[in-house]
Amino acid sequence: MPAHPEHPRFRSIALPPRGWPLAILLALYLLPGLTGHDPWKVDDAAAFGVIHDMLLRGSWLTPSIAGQPTFDSPLYYWIAAALGQLLAWPLSLLLPLHDAVRLTSAAFSILILGFVHLAARALYGREYAVAAPLIIAGSIGFLIHTHEMQPMLVPLAAHAAAYWALAMLDRRPWTSGTALGAALGLGVLGGGLAPMALLLPLALVAFFFSENKAKTGPALLAGLLIAAALLALWLLPLASSHPAYLARWWSNELAQFGSPPRPLDNALGYLNLLPWYAWPALPLAGWTLWSKRRQLVTPQLLLPLSGFLLLWLGLCFTFDARSVPALLLLPPLVLLAVPGIPSLRRGAANGFDWFAMISFTLFAGLLWVGWSAMVFEWPAKLAKQVVRLEPGFVGSFSLLSFLVALIAFAAWLWLIVTTARSPFRGMTHWAAGVTLFWLMASTLWLPWVDYGKTYRPLATALAKALPASHGCIADTGIGEPQRASLDYFAGIVTLPYNSAAGRRCEWLLTQGGRNAEGTPAGSWSKVWEGSRPGDRKERLRLYRKTGSGQVVSVLPADESTADAGSETADATPSATNP
């Protein structure tokens, strides 16, 4: 007779996982996908542009991209740039700069997981607190943004720390006030005023329901002074050396409040985003509110519930409904979800467990099939779809990636067979399944994803289209990710066309969709056009001022397109004799 999975001969992990098992699970969750690829489109590339500018041009006080100011708060960039300098020598042979600085996101993710755990422990005790990092790690929104260079991770860590501080306000008021002040100050230094100002109404709620206002009031006021002192570490030197930058930063921060034109649409947008973004925190939080509906005014539930409602309303008036600001909604939802796990009815708990095991086993199987299509061109129909989505991609077999993915899949099968019955089994399987999916995607699929999200081939193609001594280049409509990537990969730095220096340039670089107007106003001849493989929304076009000399095609004759692998024919460089 085969032994039962719960027989002593089967060594299973005690639930909920603690100590080394939990640390290993979270390490496997955080580390894959941070390295081994270029800065990717949108936030990853834009954030790296600021870090690269700090290291290259020394713009530590005034965050900039390729010499053009961004008016962002600098803390994330400071830490990432310092980490890049620190690891430049020991890791230069192993990791390029963009991989080394991306480890900053892992550091802030660890802080987020730790503070969420501490907040849950302060609210519900040690026994159930370990569920908090499992829940937030299992949330798809958190998974996406913790593996990119993302400055919003600083306010997210500050929010998690603030919930911990407010949860112990009555028991340790001065420690609470100090921690809250540090979280507010560092959060503003990392993400600006709007994300952190949303915590002030929550602090008032915590003060209103505190039992010893004579101590908690002064402690909270002291925390505000600490926050102001931390913020002064940047603002005072900035006011002394770059007052115009400070004035623009302050103006942008104040304009953030009430900036979205349709707050009702934003409110609905966030609610539509959460079902997939905050799964399984959202349904577990809903179950907590239902099962403990007679205890909603207790501090354990009132703090995260008030935090979610106040934050949701505040986001509607400060940020458009996007996945990045929605990160701030995760800590209160996770804290609401923690008491929902042990109170789940057996049928619901078993259903959640089976859903996690079946779903991620199926997802892993699909990843294997897709990888086979990329590398071995089988199944043939799927292989054609892979090429259609990323034209020009050629897959190759990596023994290391294959072995890592195979070991991870085997460990998953061992886990689901040996895990003992527990109220936390479903949540553990879900967090482990998300980890499995991300680890396999970050090994087997990383080359394909990197091929479609990097700007390296585009920057290289543009550099080939320029003569060696091309002089200054003006730009119009160029996004921050594109500007950052051109600077990093090709050393191409552009000037704003509406500036005095930009109007004197004989080269002009524009960005627009495929059907955008081909020639800007004035006497310009198009020299080159290109985009990332398969992309039609971010096409770059290079023009040269007519009358400045002969404009010829500078690409080799065998390069029929400038799309860095794209199949389009309209990317062929033009030859003009003005």
Side-chain angles (χ1 to χ4, degrees), residues 106-121:
F108 277 105
S109 299
I110 293 172
L111 290 177
I112 294 164
L113 294 167
F115 281 124
V116 166
H117 177 265
L118 289 175
R121 181 174 170 178

Side-chain angles (χ1 to χ4, degrees), residues 241-394:
S241 56
H242 303 281
Y245 187 100
L246 174 59
R248 178 67 180 276
W249 176 84
W250 183 254
S251 175
N252 288 353
E253 292 298 314
L254 293 181
Q256 185 70 43
F257 296 93
S259 59
R262 297 180 297 274
L264 180 59
D265 290 346
N266 283 329
L268 297 176
Y270 282 114
L271 293 180
N272 289 332
L273 184 69
L274 288 178
W276 69 266
Y277 186 90
W279 178 276
L282 184 64
L284 288 172
W287 170 249
T288 297
L289 295 178
W290 171 253
S291 62
K292 300 183 182 297
R293 55 191 179 277
R294 295 183 177 85
Q295 306 171 28
L296 294 183
V297 294
T298 58
Q300 289 80 6
L301 297 182
L302 184 63
L303 179 66
L305 178 59
S306 301
F308 174 78
L309 294 176
L310 290 171
L311 194 62
W312 171 58
L313 291 174
L315 287 176
C316 297
F317 290 93
T318 51
F319 293 95
D320 289 322
R322 294 179 56 244
S323 63
V324 173
L327 282 169
L328 303 179
L329 293 170
L330 290 178
L333 278 177
V334 168
L335 294 176
L336 280 175
V338 168
I341 292 180
S343 64
L344 276 177
R345 295 173 181 172
R346 178 174 295 183
N350 289 337
F352 177 42
D353 187 25
W354 278 102
F355 177 69
M357 291 188 292
I358 293 174
S359 296
F360 287 107
T361 303
L362 176 62
F363 291 156
L366 293 176
L367 288 175
W368 280 118
V369 173
W371 171 77
S372 174
M374 287 186 289
V375 175
F376 303 111
E377 298 184 358
W378 181 89
K381 290 185 178 180
L382 185 57
K384 292 181 180 179
Q385 184 72 2
V386 168
V387 176
R388 188 186 72 82
L389 292 175
E390 299 296 352
F393 174 78
V394 178

Side-chain angles (χ1 to χ4, degrees), residues 50-67:
V50 178
I51 300 164
H52 180 243
D53 197 272
M54 284 184 175
L55 293 172
L56 185 66
R57 301 178 179 90
S59 56
W60 292 82
L61 283 178
T62 57
S64 306
I65 294 179

Side-chain angles (χ1 to χ4, degrees), residues 206-244:
F207 169 71
F208 181 79
F209 285 96
S210 67
E211 298 177 355
N212 191 356
K213 294 182 176 59
K215 290 185 177 181
T216 57
L220 291 176
L221 291 177
L224 292 179
L225 294 178
I226 293 173
L230 289 172
L231 193 56
L233 295 176
W234 175 52
L235 295 185
L236 290 181
L238 189 63
S240 174
S241 56
H242 303 281

Side-chain angles (χ1 to χ4, degrees), residues 117 119-130 171 300 338:
H117 177 265
R121 181 174 170 178
L123 289 172
Y124 308 116
R126 182 190 299 267
E127 183 179 0
Y128 300 133
V130 72
R171 286 169 286 173
Q300 289 80 6
V338 168

